[in-house]
Coordinates of all heavy atoms in Angstrom, one line a residue:
T672 N -2.5 24.5 4.7 CA -3.2 24.2 5.9 C -3.7 25.5 6.6 O -4.7 25.6 7.2 CB -2.3 23.4 6.9 OG1 -3.1 22.9 7.9 CG2 -1.2 24.3 7.5
G673 N -2.9 26.6 6.4 CA -3.4 27.9 6.9 C -4.6 28.4 6.2 O -5.4 29.1 6.8
A674 N -4.9 28.0 5.0 CA -6.1 28.3 4.2 C -7.3 27.6 4.8 O -8.4 28.2 4.9 CB -5.9 28.0 2.8
I675 N -7.1 26.4 5.2 CA -8.2 25.6 5.9 C -8.6 26.3 7.2 O -9.8 26.6 7.5 CB -7.8 24.2 6.2 CG1 -7.4 23.4 4.9 CG2 -8.9 23.4 7.0 CD1 -6.9 22.0 5.1
I676 N -7.6 26.7 8.0 CA -7.9 27.3 9.3 C -8.5 28.7 9.1 O -9.5 29.1 9.7 CB -6.6 27.4 10.1 CG1 -6.0 26.0 10.4 CG2 -6.8 28.2 11.4 CD1 -4.6 26.0 11.0
A677 N -7.9 29.4 8.1 CA -8.5 30.8 7.8 C -9.9 30.7 7.4 O -10.7 31.5 7.8 CB -7.6 31.4 6.7
G678 N -10.2 29.7 6.6 CA -11.6 29.5 6.1 C -12.6 29.3 7.3 O -13.7 29.8 7.4
G679 N -12.1 28.4 8.2 CA -13.0 28.1 9.4 C -13.2 29.4 10.2 O -14.3 29.6 10.7
L680 N -12.1 30.1 10.4 CA -12.3 31.4 11.2 C -13.2 32.4 10.5 O -14.0 33.1 11.1 CB -10.9 32.0 11.4 CG -9.9 31.2 12.3 CD1 -8.5 31.9 12.3 CD2 -10.4 31.0 13.7
A681 N -13.0 32.5 9.2 CA -13.8 33.4 8.4 C -15.3 33.2 8.4 O -16.1 34.1 8.3 CB -13.3 33.5 7.0
I682 N -15.7 31.9 8.6 CA -17.1 31.6 8.7 C -17.7 31.7 10.1 O -18.8 31.3 10.4 CB -17.5 30.3 8.0 CG1 -16.8 29.1 8.7 CG2 -17.1 30.3 6.5 CD1 -17.3 27.7 8.2
G683 N -16.8 32.1 11.0 CA -17.3 32.3 12.4 C -17.0 31.2 13.4 O -17.4 31.2 14.5
M684 N -16.2 30.2 13.0 CA -15.8 29.1 13.9 C -14.8 29.7 14.9 O -14.0 30.5 14.6 CB -15.2 27.9 13.2 CG -16.2 27.2 12.2 SD -15.4 25.8 11.3 CE -15.1 24.6 12.7
S685 N -14.9 29.1 16.1 CA -13.9 29.5 17.1 C -12.6 28.7 16.9 O -12.6 27.7 16.3 CB -14.4 29.3 18.5 OG -14.5 27.9 18.8
A686 N -11.5 29.3 17.4 CA -10.2 28.6 17.3 C -10.3 27.2 18.0 O -9.7 26.2 17.5 CB -9.1 29.4 17.9
T687 N -11.0 27.1 19.1 CA -11.2 25.9 19.8 C -12.0 24.8 19.0 O -11.6 23.7 19.0 CB -11.9 26.1 21.2 OG1 -11.2 27.0 21.9 CG2 -12.1 24.8 21.9
E688 N -13.0 25.3 18.3 CA -13.8 24.4 17.5 C -12.9 23.8 16.3 O -13.0 22.6 16.1 CB -15.0 25.1 16.8 CG -16.1 25.4 17.8 CD -17.2 26.3 17.2 OE1 -16.8 27.2 16.4 OE2 -18.3 26.1 17.5
I689 N -12.1 24.7 15.7 CA -11.2 24.2 14.6 C -10.2 23.2 15.2 O -9.8 22.2 14.6 CB -10.6 25.4 13.9 CG1 -11.7 26.3 13.3 CG2 -9.7 24.9 12.8 CD1 -11.2 27.6 12.7
K690 N -9.6 23.6 16.4 CA -8.6 22.7 17.0 C -9.2 21.3 17.3 O -8.5 20.3 17.0 CB -8.2 23.4 18.3 CG -7.0 22.6 19.0 CD -6.7 23.2 20.4 CE -7.8 22.7 21.4 NZ -7.4 23.0 22.8
D691 N -10.4 21.3 17.8 CA -11.0 20.0 18.1 C -11.3 19.2 16.8 O -11.2 17.9 16.8 CB -12.3 20.2 18.8 CG -12.1 20.8 20.2 OD1 -11.0 20.7 20.7 OD2 -13.1 21.3 20.8
L692 N -11.5 19.9 15.7 CA -11.8 19.2 14.4 C -10.5 18.8 13.8 O -10.5 17.8 13.0 CB -12.6 20.2 13.5 CG -12.9 19.8 12.1 CD1 -14.1 18.8 12.2 CD2 -13.4 21.0 11.3
Y693 N -9.4 19.4 14.0 CA -8.2 19.3 13.3 C -7.6 17.9 13.4 O -7.1 17.4 12.4 CB -7.2 20.4 13.7 CG -6.2 20.8 12.7 CD1 -6.6 21.6 11.6 CD2 -4.9 20.3 12.7 CE1 -5.7 21.9 10.6 CE2 -4.0 20.7 11.7 CZ -4.4 21.5 10.7 OH -3.5 21.9 9.7
K694 N -7.6 17.3 14.6 CA -7.0 16.0 14.8 C -7.7 15.0 13.9 O -7.0 14.2 13.2 CB -7.0 15.6 16.2 CG -6.3 14.3 16.5 CD -6.3 14.0 18.0 CE -5.6 12.7 18.3 NZ -6.3 11.5 17.8
E695 N -9.0 15.0 13.9 CA -9.8 14.1 13.1 C -9.5 14.3 11.6 O -9.4 13.4 10.9 CB -11.2 14.2 13.5 CG -12.2 13.3 12.7 CD -13.6 13.5 13.0 OE1 -13.9 14.3 13.9 OE2 -14.5 12.8 12.4
L696 N -9.5 15.6 11.3 CA -9.3 16.0 9.9 C -7.9 15.4 9.4 O -7.8 14.8 8.3 CB -9.3 17.5 9.8 CG -9.3 18.1 8.4 CD1 -10.6 17.8 7.6 CD2 -9.2 19.6 8.5
G697 N -6.9 15.7 10.2 CA -5.5 15.2 9.8 C -5.4 13.7 9.7 O -4.8 13.2 8.7
E698 N -6.0 13.0 10.6 CA -6.0 11.5 10.5 C -6.6 11.0 9.3 O -6.1 10.1 8.6 CB -6.6 10.9 11.8 CG -5.8 11.1 13.0 CD -6.5 10.6 14.3 OE1 -7.7 10.3 14.2 OE2 -5.8 10.5 15.3
K699 N -7.7 11.6 8.9 CA -8.5 11.2 7.7 C -7.7 11.5 6.4 O -7.6 10.7 5.5 CB -9.8 11.8 7.6 CG -10.8 11.2 8.7 CD -12.2 11.9 8.6 CE -13.1 11.3 9.6 NZ -14.5 11.9 9.5
I700 N -7.1 12.7 6.4 CA -6.4 13.2 5.2 C -5.1 12.4 4.9 O -4.8 12.0 3.8 CB -6.2 14.7 5.3 CG1 -7.5 15.5 5.2 CG2 -5.2 15.1 4.1 CD1 -7.4 16.9 5.5
F701 N -4.3 12.3 6.0 CA -3.0 11.8 5.8 C -2.8 10.3 6.1 O -1.8 9.7 6.0 CB -2.0 12.5 6.7 CG -1.8 13.9 6.3 CD1 -2.2 15.0 7.1 CD2 -1.3 14.3 5.1 CE1 -2.0 16.3 6.8 CE2 -1.1 15.6 4.7 CZ -1.4 16.6 5.5
S702 N -4.0 9.6 6.3 CA -3.9 8.1 6.5 C -4.3 7.4 5.3 O -4.1 6.2 5.2 CB -4.8 7.7 7.7 OG -6.1 8.0 7.4
R703 N -4.9 8.1 4.3 CA -5.4 7.4 3.2 C -4.5 7.6 2.0 O -4.6 8.6 1.3 CB -6.9 7.9 2.9 CG -7.8 7.6 4.0 CD -9.2 8.1 3.8 NE -10.0 7.9 5.0 CZ -11.3 8.2 5.0 NH1 -11.9 8.6 4.0 NH2 -12.0 8.0 6.1
K704 N -3.6 6.7 1.8 CA -2.6 6.8 0.7 C -3.2 6.4 -0.6 O -4.1 5.6 -0.7 CB -1.4 6.0 1.1 CG -0.7 6.5 2.3 CD 0.7 5.9 2.5 CE 1.5 6.6 3.6 NZ 2.8 6.1 3.8
A705 N -2.6 7.0 -1.6 CA -3.0 6.7 -3.0 C -2.6 5.2 -3.3 O -1.7 4.6 -2.6 CB -2.4 7.6 -4.0
S706 N -3.2 4.7 -4.4 CA -2.8 3.3 -4.8 C -1.3 3.3 -5.2 O -0.7 4.3 -5.4 CB -3.7 2.9 -6.0 OG -3.3 3.7 -7.1
I707 N -0.8 2.1 -5.2 CA 0.7 1.9 -5.4 C 1.1 2.5 -6.8 O 2.2 3.1 -6.9 CB 1.0 0.4 -5.4 CG1 2.6 0.3 -5.5 CG2 0.3 -0.4 -6.5 CD1 3.3 0.8 -4.3
F708 N 0.2 2.5 -7.8 CA 0.5 3.1 -9.1 C 0.5 4.6 -9.0 O 1.4 5.3 -9.6 CB -0.4 2.5 -10.2 CG -0.3 1.0 -10.3 CD1 -1.3 0.2 -9.9 CD2 0.9 0.5 -10.9 CE1 -1.1 -1.2 -10.0 CE2 1.0 -0.9 -11.0 CZ 0.0 -1.7 -10.6

């Protein structure tokens, strides 16, 4: 997760911009579980 944040900072995003994006990002990533198999 530090690599995601580092990448955002490296392309010039502000910490606030990444913070605002992070909640939505986390919900999308960790809410979609793989199939039962």
Side-chain angles (χ1 to χ4, degrees):
T672 194
I675 298 175
I676 298 170
L680 295 176
I682 63 173
M684 294 178 71
S685 70
T687 301
E688 287 174 322
I689 302 173
K690 185 188 76 171
D691 293 342
L692 179 73
Y693 206 75
K694 183 175 184 293
E695 180 183 356
L696 187 68
E698 288 177 348
K699 289 180 178 179
I700 292 172
F701 292 117
S702 64
R703 301 180 184 182
K704 294 194 174 181
S706 67
I707 188 66
F708 297 107

